[in-house]
Amino acid sequence: MTSGRRLEHNICRLPSGVGVQEPILRTIHLTREVSGLRLVDDISVEVYRGDILAVVGPSGSGKSSFLRLLNRLDEPTAGSVYFEGKDYREIPPRELRRKIGLVAQVPFLFPGSVADNLRFGPSQQGKHLSDEIVASLLEEVGLAAYAAKDAHYLSGGEAQRVSLARALANSPSVLLLDEPTSALDVDSRQGIEELILRIVRLNQLTCVLVTHDPGQAARMANRAMVLKAGKLERAGLIGEVLRVQAGV
């Protein structure tokens, strides 16, 4: 088995023969330690535009901790993240989180209407989303005519769709997805997976997807990285990584 140390610099390299491009996200020796415990331990990876990178591993392996470091919801103890070639500590946190959006495992919506939720992020930039843009975003996530609905009364699947639309309202370049379907039933899960893939293609997004489900990783991602006890165990093309994980 090739070690994670050798693979970590190849995780999202383009295949040979493809023109060289800079990664949109690069982590360099990224580490987070809390009370003496290393939740994320010296991880260096590269993610290129258009990639859907699945972050897999057992519970407690550091998947969500790694994800939260990518847009500074948590701060690294050591190392850093480069976004479009720039150290992300040089980017104001609010601006960074608009460019690198996050959809959480359990959708948290603000009190008020669905439209209020979509308008929140842009309003922090002094922008107002028109009714037409709100309607377009909701249509994109399959919730046409939901703008005036009270967010409190949405189903789990509907709330997750609003969370996606709210992230898209900020026009991100990268979307971070933290177990986006784990709280949903099977039918809703399939619908959200298909929706995410459609949105990624339509908006030419780059995604980092945390999932405990190898099947979901195989359906959605083109690359994968495996974490174990906070360390990068292996990384590469999705099929190769999952075959090694399965012991095939």
Side-chain angles (χ1 to χ4, degrees), residues 168-242:
L168 293 174
N170 288 315
S171 301
S173 300
V174 177
L175 202 55
L176 308 178
L177 304 167
D178 191 0
E179 300 270 15
T181 65
S182 64
L184 305 178
D185 59 45
V186 173
D187 290 340
S188 296
R189 189 178 306 141
Q190 180 179 350
I192 292 294
E193 285 183 5
E194 293 170 354
L195 173 64
I196 289 169
L197 290 174
R198 186 168 71 248
I199 285 172
V200 167
R201 288 192 293 266
L202 183 64
N203 295 277
Q204 298 181 314
L205 294 173
T206 301
C207 286
V208 182
L209 166 70
V210 165
T211 180
H212 69 280
D213 180 1
Q216 182 173 78
R219 289 189 297 272
M220 298 186 68
N222 65 314
R223 304 257 177 187
M225 57 183 283
V226 180
L227 297 185
K228 186 175 182 180
K231 292 181 178 290
L232 179 63
E233 189 170 66
R234 69 181 60 87
L237 295 173
I238 185 73
E240 297 172 357
V241 171
L242 294 182

Side-chain angles (χ1 to χ4, degrees), residues 82-159:
Y82 286 77
F83 173 64
E84 296 183 329
K86 186 175 185 179
D87 190 322
Y88 76 164
R89 290 170 295 194
E90 300 174 12
I91 304 171
R94 278 190 179 181
E95 180 183 346
L96 179 72
R97 289 170 196 148
R98 288 194 295 269
K99 294 178 177 179
I100 305 176
L102 173 70
V103 176
Q105 178 177 353
V106 178
F108 173 78
L109 300 181
F110 306 126
S113 70
V114 169
D116 292 336
N117 273 267
L118 267 60
R119 288 185 169 119
F120 176 80
S123 72
Q124 302 303 298
Q125 311 168 54
K127 300 177 181 177
H128 177 75
L129 286 189
S130 68
D131 290 344
E132 291 77 13
I133 293 176
V134 168
S136 176
L137 286 166
L138 289 175
E139 184 174 358
E140 192 171 333
V141 298
L143 294 178
Y146 269 61
K149 287 185 179 289
D150 189 327
H152 179 72
Y153 295 104
L154 300 178
S155 69
E158 290 169 343

Side-chain angles (χ1 to χ4, degrees), residues 16-81:
S16 101
V18 178
V20 175
Q21 61 168 305
E22 285 296 311
I24 189 170
L25 273 180
R26 172 186 285 151
T27 74
I28 299 179
H29 303 301
L30 193 63
T31 301
R32 178 167 169 79
E33 184 173 322
V34 176
S35 301
L37 177 64
R38 285 203 168 189
L39 304 178
V40 176
D41 193 354
D42 194 29
I43 293 178
S44 297
V45 294
E46 294 178 346
V47 186
Y48 286 86
R49 291 185 189 277
D51 270 334
I52 300 180
L53 171 66
V55 184
V56 299
S59 296
S61 60
K63 301 185 299 295
S64 293
S65 296
F66 172 75
L67 197 75
R68 290 175 61 85
L69 290 174
L70 296 182
N71 71 349
R72 294 188 69 185
L73 284 175
D74 290 331
E75 293 291 332
T77 307
S80 192
V81 177

